[in-house]
Amino acid sequence: MDIEAFFQNMPFADLLDIEITTVDNGHAEGHIEMREELSWNEEQIMAHGGVTFTLADTVGGAALVSLVDQPVPTIDMRIDYLEAGTGDLRAEADVVRHGGDVGVVNVEVYAEDGTQVADARGVYKTG
């Protein structure tokens, strides 16, 4: 499976312009360039929580896809928002469990200045 092509051709990720930059052996990284229409605040560009969540979910899925070589639907995702996401966002994901039926991935999301803005854990269907 061509992982980069799969995520580049995902309509919702394409709409938000999420880019997967690294995918290898249970690890993935990606980013999103912030723009006014993704903000929840009129006066300062700050990522809407749904944007942060979608970035975490997409990058988390990519990390697991690197191990199972097939799409992995999300079963559940928990996210803790730690700070406001200002500027471009980047996410780093690592698989912590790769099972026959489900996989678990930890994801950290960072703002442009390096501040961690969210911590997430996703559960995905692998079989």
Side-chain angles (χ1 to χ4, degrees):
M1 175 176 172
D2 184 344
I3 297 171
E4 276 117 21
F6 175 74
F7 285 97
Q8 285 173 351
N9 295 322
M10 184 182 293
F12 191 57
D14 185 49
L15 175 69
L16 295 181
D17 203 20
I18 293 173
E19 182 181 358
I20 302 297
T21 56
T22 302
V23 180
D24 185 43
N25 199 29
H27 176 81
E29 298 178 14
H31 79 276
I32 186 168
E33 291 183 24
M34 279 303 300
R35 51 193 193 274
E36 188 175 340
E37 60 268 24
L38 300 179
S39 181
W40 65 270
N41 187 320
E42 287 183 353
E43 297 174 20
Q44 179 183 2
I45 295 179
M46 298 175 129
H48 184 282
V51 172
T52 305
F53 185 95
T54 301
L55 176 63
D57 186 31
T58 303
V59 175
L64 193 54
V65 167
S66 74
L67 295 177
V68 299
D69 200 37
Q70 67 183 27
V72 290
T74 307
I75 295 172
D76 186 45
M77 179 163 257
R78 173 183 166 45
I79 190 166
D80 292 317
Y81 298 98
L82 307 173
E83 294 283 340
T86 57
D88 296 346
L89 301 180
R90 68 179 173 82
E92 299 177 8
D94 289 292
V95 174
V96 294
R97 182 182 190 282
H98 169 213
D101 292 323
V102 298
V104 179
V105 182
N106 285 340
V107 187
E108 296 176 341
V109 181
Y110 297 91
E112 195 167 44
D113 67 1
T115 301
Q116 186 175 0
V117 299
D119 186 43
R121 174 168 278 203
V123 179
Y124 302 86
K125 182 168 177 46
T126 59

